[in-house]
């Protein structure tokens, strides 16, 4: 597998999803479809293909040493990277959708997106703080 090519293609796909989120005030339905379904599904297909086609010779998830050994293999590292891209994008799409449902202005939600893209859980936490500031964090939980 050409890791650089797969890395670039997965990154471009994810960027398309994040761009759709930034445009979500203008195209909310398409943003939800692109960033909340189509791009994560495509990335997930790539993830599953890598898992099935490229077995790693060592490592696992039972200890830090096993995880370290697992991600020392390029194919496992690539699968992990795609996993990261897909799930952070899903959280970004959820943030935009939830903010829209709760009537939050996009300007208050927008700073959560780059934080989610770069630091995943920190962006989710920031959004919870934004929601709390709007009195919405515990109003509706689904």
């Amino acid at each position: 597998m050409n890791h650089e090519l797969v890395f670039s293609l997965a990154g471009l796909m994810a960027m398309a999803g994040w761009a759709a989120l930034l445009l979500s005030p203008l195209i909310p339905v398409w943003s939800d479809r692109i960033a909340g379904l189509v791009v994560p599904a495509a990335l997930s297909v790539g993830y599953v293909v890598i898992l099935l086609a490229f077995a790693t010779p060592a490592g696992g998830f039972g200890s830090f040493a096993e995880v370290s050994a697992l991600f020392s293999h390029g194919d496992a590292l690539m699968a992990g990277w795609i996993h990261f891209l897909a799930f952070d994008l899903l959280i970004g799409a959820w943030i935009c959708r939830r903010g829209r449902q709760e009537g939050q202005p996009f300007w208050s939600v927008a700073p959560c997106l780059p934080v989610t893209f770069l630091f995943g859980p920190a962006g989710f936490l920031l959004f919870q703080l934004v929601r709390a500031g709007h009195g919405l964090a515990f109003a509706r939980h689904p």
Side-chain angles (χ1 to χ4, degrees), residues 1-140:
M1 168 180 10
N2 183 335
H3 293 119
E4 287 297 328
L5 177 61
V6 173
F7 179 87
S8 295
L9 292 174
L12 287 172
M13 289 175 64
M15 285 297 117
W18 286 102
L21 291 180
L22 292 175
L23 294 172
S24 66
L26 304 173
I27 55 166
V29 172
W30 283 105
S31 172
D32 287 346
R33 288 180 183 158
I34 293 166
L37 179 63
V38 174
V39 173
L43 290 169
S44 297
V45 168
Y47 172 80
V48 169
V49 167
I50 291 170
L51 288 182
L52 295 176
F54 302 98
T56 55
F61 296 103
S63 69
F64 180 74
E66 287 181 6
V67 170
S68 182
L70 178 66
F71 287 118
S72 70
H73 301 284
D75 297 333
L77 184 59
M78 185 57 60
W81 177 246
I82 292 172
H83 180 284
F84 168 84
L85 291 175
F87 273 59
D88 281 1
L89 182 56
L90 283 169
I91 295 300
W94 178 85
I95 286 170
C96 284
R97 191 170 47 254
R98 175 60 65 188
R100 212 171 27 256
Q101 290 169 347
E102 294 175 349
Q104 294 180 47
F106 185 71
W107 63 263
S108 71
V109 173
C112 302
L113 298 178
V115 177
T116 303
F117 172 68
L118 295 171
F119 306 110
F124 175 78
L125 180 60
L126 178 60
F127 179 65
Q128 296 309 315
L129 294 172
V130 167
R131 292 177 77 208
H134 286 262
L136 300 167
F138 300 103
R140 291 182 282 171

